[in-house]
Every structure is written in structure tokens, then in C-alpha cells.
Amino acid sequence: MPSALISGGPVGPRRGPGRLFCLVVVLAFGIGVACTPSGPSPPGTGSGTSAGRTTGTGSGSPATGSTRSGPTSNGTPTAGSNPSGGGGSDHFVPFRTTVPGSAAGRRIGLIGLDQTDPFSKSVTESIKEQAQIAGAEIVYCDAENSAEVALRCARRLASQRVDAWITFQPVSSAGQAICAAGPRDVPMISIDGSQGDCQSARAGIDDGYAGSLVGGRVGEFARQQFGCQVDTVILLGDPGHTPADRQRVVAARTALSTFCPSMGERAEETAVQGSSPAGAPATTGTDSPVVPGGPTASGSGAAEPGGPTVLELDAPGQQSAFDLVGKALTSVPDDGRVLVIGADDGLTLGAVRAAKAAGRLDSVYVAGIGADSRSYCEIATDAHWIGDAGSFPEKYGSLVVPYLIDLMDRRPVARELFLRNEFIDATTIAGHYDVSGCGPAR
Amino acid sequence: MTADHDRSVTRPTQDDAAETPAPIRSLSRVEWVICGVLLVGLVLLFGIASPYFLSANNIGNLFTTMALAGILAAPATFLMVSGQVDLSVGSIAAVCGVLVASLAPGLGLAGSSVVAISAGLGIGLANGLLVAVLGIHSLAVTVATLALVRGLAYLLPSGQVVPIAGFDILGNARPLLNVPLPVLILIVVLAVAGVVLRFTPFGRGTYRVGRRPQLSRLHTVRAKLLVIGLFAASGAAAALVGMILTSQLSTAVPNVADGLELTVVTAVLLGGCSLSGGRGTVAGTATALLLLSVLDNGLSQLNVTAYWQQFAAGCLLLSALIIDRLRWFTTHRRMRRWIPRTRAASTTPAGRTG
């Protein structure tokens, strides 16, 4: 046996890596060290304060305290169907027509939520379309539903020196970090969640309003059809999308209980997966749930004895919703009625598939929030799909791009750009989307 | 003995091949040249195609992103040299990030950091014990740990993200020459790892263990302890990466570092390590990681979708595996030719030392 192995001495002749390539590696590191840009301290370093990033930035500060964008030179509210209000009603803003060439030569960064998600894809395609009309170049980065990837995207946009940027990423509490890493001193509009103090405005839906809208309609349906005699109510939210989904679920339940009090205070509550988000961050600028004006609940408001079981389930995605609802249905009698409200269409679809797999389609009634392309045919043809609080993702570009151009041109823009949800059901969907190829109603 | 010796001359055994001294190898000269040409070529290509690729900001981003995989790649090189692999590093990073954020309100940042590092060490130790003591293949153990630990990362915060305040320094500070702290940590880790693997008895022992046949690789207590230690180091490095990510995001997210193990294994294999163990260097790993990072960053600058980047990463990993197998064939053939000459030399009266 070779003695070298016993003694632990050198194990044969050594041939190290090429010196030239070691030099290449060292040089590469050296260049990286030397080229690292100087900049202000990142948030919390040393001073313990957040980065001194001004909201609104130099390119256009939003009017502090003002709530509406005034008349602009960047187009008029879209004629015809404009569910997003008639120009400044309540706290909603209208969709606008992008003026061709109004952002010619400008570069807009866009961090999309997740290209595989139909809602997100509609939003990003809409923004790209409007940006193209405006003559702006879109620098796109897909966050892949990950805050970590969104952070890398923000760094990339910073290196590419965009003139403005739009973020649509899933974790609101990482927004400040993304702000710090992203382009500086340029306007930024965030979609849905707040993104830290670098955001000039936040666009999207009022989650509380959307939840109330769908909850109220489902409650009305349940009262009219069944006299509120329902065995189980399932509310589905994605824990990865807190606090938005949480607000939708809470608002939906509150609105549901105004029509059917038994679905409110005295109903059992079981969170099958996950509990209330103790670690979920509070976001800045979050509105409290809004209960729309409408028919008030009849009766004294006291809960009826023997009310339905109310389940609030945390389901990270359609597959998880399928699994959880499937399990929940096993504890419901065969002839029992089930109402399901999903915080987004993916979750609602998961519930529908679970009902189908369990052979319970006839007794399960669903509603959702979003009305993206996944749900068009379902809403149009499925009698058990009560409807959706439409968020019009295909029109987000008409909301975000014109206002972003306003910011780039230093015109005042409201801090929150909420579009008004509209309840879309089988009778109204054809007015919004082409459902002629969906087949007969079932 | 003579008969045994005669049999060994006529039929060299796998044990003989493994015990025979061999040079420390990572990349051959040709491979180094190819790496260098690729690296320079990619830099030039992306530099021309994108006006921002060679900007100071982007180069800083490149190294900041590379730092996470690099910190994991150092212990991964040791593991691969010793004939093992750890696929659970991404999951360990996630769960340790969750731990540091969840426990910070109660234990303070220092206390929760200690707990997180300890957790990473502990999971690594568990991996090592299962491999070294029970003899389960490291691939199987760490695939199981990957799922188990990732599940924990979701379970602990009930699927929620966990924000953390005042933890920005680790991921964002620039204490020296305006270089981000993660990059400085990367430089230190790679330098120390390179020196240890190349010049210390521990490093030489790692090569020895890796060069043994798989069945007899962990027969000695020393070899077992070495492997357990390497897995523990891998777990600790993963914990550090998880804490860096949590610091950068100011939030612990259960799905961070998803797929990071793929990048690490690709870099280690491309850098000259072999799945069968016994070869590789930290320098080779670092060079391969730089190549991968340049490719990833450059494709991003050109707005190539993430799916194509994933496809490219998969192609590179497959290429690395094929190259590794080709290396094994050529090395094995050279060994078979070398052993009979050695045995023949030792059968002469001058060569017989008893």
C-alpha cells in the first residue's frame, strides 16, 4: 500500500489550476470590488433610520393630502364602459386613454408578479400595450411570485436607469427593501400592495370594497335562494398575499353576515391551514374594509341558532384550494349546501374542481374576486358560479400608465388609484368579455 | 502473498485504483482555456449587446447575487470532493431565515441569529449522521431533508411572511471600500475554503475520502467525522445565506432560495468536481460560479425571460454531468494503464519493500 496514504503526506504530484485563470478570477473580483458603486447608506445602516427617499421623487410629487388627479393633458376617462367610476367618485379613479407618444423616448421598468398567473399576465400585458401606445420602452422583469426575485429585478432596473418603474410583487413587507434596491429619484407606482416610501402612488383595487361587494352579493343570493339555510361557508385566502387577501376575506364575511347573520358572529370558525397572520405586516395606506351601501340585513342581527359552519382556509394557490376544499367537503352532508368565496379566481377554481371531484357540483355555490380570463366561461355558463367582483386586469394599463406619465411630467397624482370593482355575473359578463365560445349554460 | 500479489498484477482491483496516489485535479488545462474563453466571450457579448452590463451598478449587482450561491458553493465543493452532495441547502436557508425573524422579538437579533445558525448546524449534523453512521446515500438523505425542512419553513410561520426590523446590516451594509457585506463574506469564505482544501491536512483528508471506492469510503471513524463535519459546515453556511436574504428583504419569506441548490451543484460540477468524488478545487468552483453569474446577469440585461434562463441552467448542469462522466472514463482508463506499471515496478527485487 502506498505509504503516502498512511502517513498523510502529499498524495502524489500536484497540478494546480492554470495561473493565468487564477489571475482572471482574482482580477474579476478586483474589478467587481473597484467598480461597486458608491451610494447612500442602505436603510437602517448606521443611523438606524430609513433611507431618506422622498415620496413622489423629483419627477413628480403626488399632491399631499389631495385625493384626486385633476384634469390632465394625458387623456380623458375612457368612454363607454368605465366601471372605475365616473371621474373621481368616492375614492375611485377612472380608467384613462393613453395619449399616443406621450412618453416617447422614455424607459419604464416593470416588475411583474408572475407570468404564469393569468391575472398578473393580463395586468402586465395591458401595461405593456399602453406603454407601447405612449411610445415608451418597457424594461420587464418577472418576479416569479417571489420577493427575492423581485429584489433582484429592482436592482436590475436600477442598473438600467429607467425613467420610472412599476412594481407588482407579492410581499408588501419587503417593499421598503425593494425601494432601497431599485431605481432612485424616479416615480414608482405599485400595484395592489404598498411598496415602501419610494412609491409615488398605489394602484389597484380596494380589497375591502371588493370583498364586501362579493360577500354582499353572495349573501343576497343565499337569502333569496335558500333563506340563508346553508351548511358550510368557506372563505379562501392565499397567505402569501397578505394583507390583501386577508382584507378581502374579512370584508366578504362581514358583508355576508349583513344578509345572513348566522354566517357572522356566532358561526364556528376554523382555520384549517394556518391561523390569523400574526406576522403579517401592516401596510401603509391600507383602507379599512368598506361596506357598500345597499340592502341591509333583515331581522335583529342576532345570529340564528344552528348556523352554518364558517371555515376560513389559507390556501397558497389553486392546487392547495382544491385539496383543502376537498377535505372540507367530506364533513358536509351529501345534500348540504356550501358557499365558497375565493380571494382570487385561482382559489375559486380550485374549489370548483374539488366540488366536481367530490360529485358535489349541485350543492356548491362559488364566487370570487378578479374575473380574469380563467373565470369568463365559468361565470357565463355555470349556474353555481354566482359571480365575481371584477377587477379588470386587462385595463390596468389604462390606470397605471397614464398616471405614471403624469408623474414623470411632474403633474400631481393621487396617492391611491383605486379602480371600482363591478360585480360580474352571467347576465352581465357578455357586456365586458367575449364569451360566445364558452358553450351553453349548465 | 505472492499469489495475491500475482492476482493483483493480472487483475487490478477497484481498491487498488482508489488507494493509488493521484494528482489533485479540478479542471484540465483545456477546460481552463474553455472556461476563460467563455467568460471573456460572454462579457464581451453582453457588454456589446447591453449598454448597462458593464456599468458599475450592474457589476455590483452581479457579485451581490453571486455571493449567496458562492457562500454555499464553498462547503459544497468540500462535500463533492469527499463524494457527497447536499441538496437541502436552499431549504435550510429558508427555515433559518424564518427562525431569525420569528424569534427576534423575543430573543433579540443576536439571540435569534445564534438560534438560526445553530439550527443550520443541527440540520447539517443530522444530514451528516444519517450519511456517515447509517450509510444512507447523501442524495437520498438531502432530498428528504429538502422537503422536510422546506415544509418546516412554511409551517413555522403558518405560511406567512415574517417581517423583521433593524436587521438590515448583514444584507445591505458596505463597511469596506463600499463593497456589500455579503460580497466581502463571499471573498473570505472562498479564500479560507481554498486554502483549507488545498494546503491543510483536513483538505488532503477530504480528497483521500473522496478517492476511496464508494463502499469503503466511510469505513473509518476519521472519515465519518470528516463527512459529518462537512455537512454541518454546509448547514451553517446555508443558515448564513438565509439570514442574509432575510436581511436584504427585511422579511423572512418561506420560499426564498428555492432552486439555489441547483445553481450550487451546477457550479461545483462545472468547476471540476466529480460526482464520484476525489477531485475539484475551490478555484474551479469560483470560476464556474462566475461564469454562471455572468450568463444569468447578461441574459437578464437582455430581457430574456426567466424560463429561458432556467433552461440554460439545466443545459449547463447536464453538460457538467456529461463532462464529469467523460472525465471519469478517461481517468479510469489512465489508472488501469498506470497500475500494472506500478505493480510491475514493485515486483522487482529492488521494489519489494515488504
Side-chain angles (χ1 to χ4, degrees):
Chain A
M1 179 176 292
S3 56
L5 285 173
I6 301 171
S7 64
V11 284
R14 297 188 181 198
R15 201 186 305 170
R19 288 177 196 167
L20 178 62
F21 298 106
C22 273
L23 191 60
V24 167
V25 171
V26 169
L27 273 175
F29 276 119
I31 291 168
V33 165
C35 287
T36 348
S38 59
S41 298
T45 307
S47 64
T49 60
S50 61
R53 184 185 297 279
T54 55
T55 36
T57 72
S59 263
S61 305
T64 53
S66 75
T67 55
R68 301 279 76 79
S69 61
T72 72
S73 59
N74 197 21
T76 57
T78 310
S81 169
N82 191 344
S84 189
S89 60
D90 301 324
H91 62 299
F92 300 110
V93 296
F95 294 119
R96 291 163 57 186
T97 305
T98 305
V99 173
S102 52
R106 282 166 161 167
R107 305 176 73 245
I108 299 175
L110 170 60
I111 300 177
L113 179 66
D114 187 356
Q115 276 293 92
T116 63
D117 175 68
F119 185 94
S120 167
K121 190 170 167 64
S122 285
V123 168
T124 53
E125 292 304 312
S126 163
I127 291 172
K128 286 178 184 175
E129 185 187 333
Q130 295 302 312
Q132 193 172 21
I133 292 171
E137 178 193 345
I138 282 280
V139 180
Y140 176 69
C141 188
D142 183 7
E144 299 171 38
N145 204 26
S146 162
E148 181 189 351
V149 179
L151 184 67
R152 287 206 295 267
C153 286
R155 289 190 193 126
R156 175 156 83 87
L157 293 182
S159 73
Q160 293 188 319
R161 297 194 199 124
V162 295
D163 299 304
W165 54 310
I166 303 163
T167 76
F168 187 13
Q169 66 92 11
V171 180
S172 291
S173 58
Q176 189 58 48
I178 288 171
C179 262
R184 302 184 178 190
D185 300 327
V186 294
M188 187 265 267
I189 290 183
S190 69
I191 295 177
D192 279 0
S194 289
Q195 296 297 314
D197 57 11
C198 70
Q199 83 177 31
S200 310
R202 176 175 153 240
I205 65 169
D206 181 336
D207 297 297
Y209 179 84
S212 296
L213 181 63
V214 73
R217 291 300 186 104
V218 170
E220 190 181 359
F221 175 87
R223 191 171 66 176
Q224 285 173 357
Q225 298 290 321
F226 317 122
C228 293
Q229 297 302 309
V230 168
D231 286 85
T232 303
V233 177
I234 300 175
L235 300 150
L236 293 165
D238 188 335
H241 295 157
T242 53
D245 278 20
R246 187 72 198 144
Q247 287 171 10
R248 295 177 191 186
V249 163
V250 168
R253 184 168 174 182
T254 303
L256 200 58
S257 65
T258 63
F259 291 91
C260 297
S262 61
M263 298 178 191
E265 296 84 5
R266 284 201 52 195
E268 280 178 41
E269 173 178 338
T270 309
V272 171
Q273 180 171 326
S275 54
S276 59
T283 57
T284 58
T286 303
D287 291 336
S288 56
V290 174
V291 180
T296 54
S298 59
S300 63
E304 299 165 9
T309 303
V310 179
L311 301 175
E312 289 188 13
L313 306 181
D314 286 340
Q318 183 171 337
Q319 181 62 42
S320 183
F322 175 88
D323 293 336
L324 289 173
V325 172
K327 284 175 194 154
L329 288 176
T330 57
S331 59
V332 179
D334 285 344
D335 58 350
R337 287 191 203 97
V338 179
L339 295 178
V340 180
I341 298 176
D344 62 58
D345 279 337
L347 301 179
T348 311
L349 275 168
V352 170
R353 303 290 180 254
K356 186 176 180 183
R360 304 286 298 269
L361 275 177
D362 288 340
S363 57
V364 175
Y365 299 83
V366 304
I369 297 174
D372 60 48
S373 55
R374 290 172 285 191
S375 61
Y376 295 166
C377 287
E378 305 287 337
I379 295 171
T381 61
D382 187 352
H384 285 239
W385 193 302
I386 302 166
D388 258 32
S391 301
F392 310 102
E394 74 284 355
K395 290 182 182 172
Y396 265 53
S398 299
L399 183 70
V400 172
V401 173
Y403 286 107
L404 191 66
I405 294 171
D406 281 348
L407 286 167
M408 285 194 280
D409 291 341
R410 301 178 184 241
R411 285 187 287 271
V413 169
R415 288 289 182 97
E416 288 183 330
L417 306 171
F418 287 141
L419 64 93
R420 181 193 292 273
N421 295 92
E422 181 180 320
F423 195 76
I424 298 175
D425 60 17
T427 61
T428 59
I429 189 167
H432 295 283
Y433 305 111
D434 178 14
V435 292
S436 56
C438 290
R442 53 182 189 274
Chain B
M1 188 169 172
T2 303
D4 289 343
H5 179 73
D6 285 342
R7 273 206 293 277
S8 70
V9 169
T10 54
R11 287 198 301 276
T13 65
Q14 202 172 0
D15 282 347
D16 292 335
E19 292 299 332
T20 310
I24 291 176
R25 285 188 180 276
S26 67
L27 299 171
S28 67
R29 286 206 171 111
V30 172
E31 286 167 344
W32 275 112
V33 169
I34 293 173
C35 264
V37 167
L38 269 175
L39 194 56
V40 172
L42 283 175
V43 168
L44 285 174
L45 172 70
F46 293 131
I48 293 167
S50 166
Y52 309 102
F53 179 75
L54 291 173
S55 65
N57 209 339
N58 187 56
I59 300 226
N61 291 343
L62 189 154
F63 281 98
T64 303
T65 306
M66 183 178 149
L68 299 176
I71 291 168
L72 294 175
T77 304
F78 277 76
L79 277 169
M80 194 75 78
V81 167
S82 71
Q84 313 297 333
V85 67
D86 186 354
L87 296 180
S88 63
V89 288
S91 303
I92 297 174
V95 80
C96 291
V98 165
L99 277 172
V100 76
S102 304
L103 298 174
L107 299 179
L109 291 174
S112 61
S113 301
V114 168
V115 171
I117 294 277
S118 305
L121 263 170
I123 298 169
L125 269 170
N127 282 340
L129 285 169
L130 288 168
V131 170
V133 175
L134 292 189
I136 307 172
H137 198 286
S138 59
L139 191 68
V141 167
T142 56
V143 162
T145 318
L146 179 158
L148 186 156
V149 174
R150 183 67 70 176
L152 272 178
Y154 280 99
L155 276 171
L156 286 173
S158 303
Q160 314 288 334
V161 301
V162 187
I164 181 171
F167 193 54
D168 302 326
I169 292 176
L170 181 61
N172 299 304
R174 293 167 182 250
L176 189 66
L177 301 175
N178 209 34
V179 175
L181 185 55
V183 178
L184 290 174
I185 294 173
L186 169 69
I187 294 169
V188 169
V189 166
L190 287 179
V192 169
V195 166
V196 168
L197 187 60
R198 181 80 188 271
F199 298 113
T200 66
F202 184 85
R204 288 192 287 274
T206 306
Y207 282 106
R208 269 200 298 278
V209 168
R211 274 201 283 271
R212 289 181 192 148
Q214 192 165 346
L215 287 176
S216 62
R217 190 166 277 163
L218 300 178
H219 272 189
T220 64
V221 172
R222 190 179 286 185
K224 288 183 202 292
L225 287 174
L226 184 142
V227 164
I228 291 170
L230 291 178
F231 274 105
S234 178
L240 179 61
V241 166
M243 288 164 60
I244 291 173
L245 277 167
T246 299
S247 171
Q248 289 177 337
L249 292 169
S250 297
T251 301
V253 184
N255 68 352
V256 293
D258 191 22
L260 192 56
E261 56 275 347
L262 183 72
T263 307
V264 170
V265 168
T266 304
V268 169
L269 285 173
L270 268 179
C273 287
S274 171
L275 277 175
S276 45
R279 67 177 289 156
T281 60
V282 174
T285 298
T287 306
L289 189 60
L290 184 61
L291 190 66
L292 289 172
S293 299
V294 165
L295 182 65
D296 184 58
N297 183 281
L299 289 176
S300 295
Q301 287 289 332
L302 298 181
N303 290 329
V304 174
T305 69
Y307 312 130
W308 277 115
Q309 293 176 38
Q310 196 168 9
F311 178 79
C315 287
L316 278 171
L317 179 56
L318 201 55
S319 309
L321 290 168
I322 293 170
I323 291 168
D324 173 49
R325 189 87 310 218
L326 290 174
R327 276 197 214 114
W328 185 87
F329 280 133
T330 52
T331 306
H332 197 68
R333 226 177 13 202
R334 254 187 251 139
M335 285 294 186
R336 283 174 161 240
R337 272 189 252 127
W338 189 67
I339 290 163
R341 280 203 297 272
T342 312
R343 293 293 173 195
S346 64
T347 56
T348 61
R352 257 194 213 134
T353 54

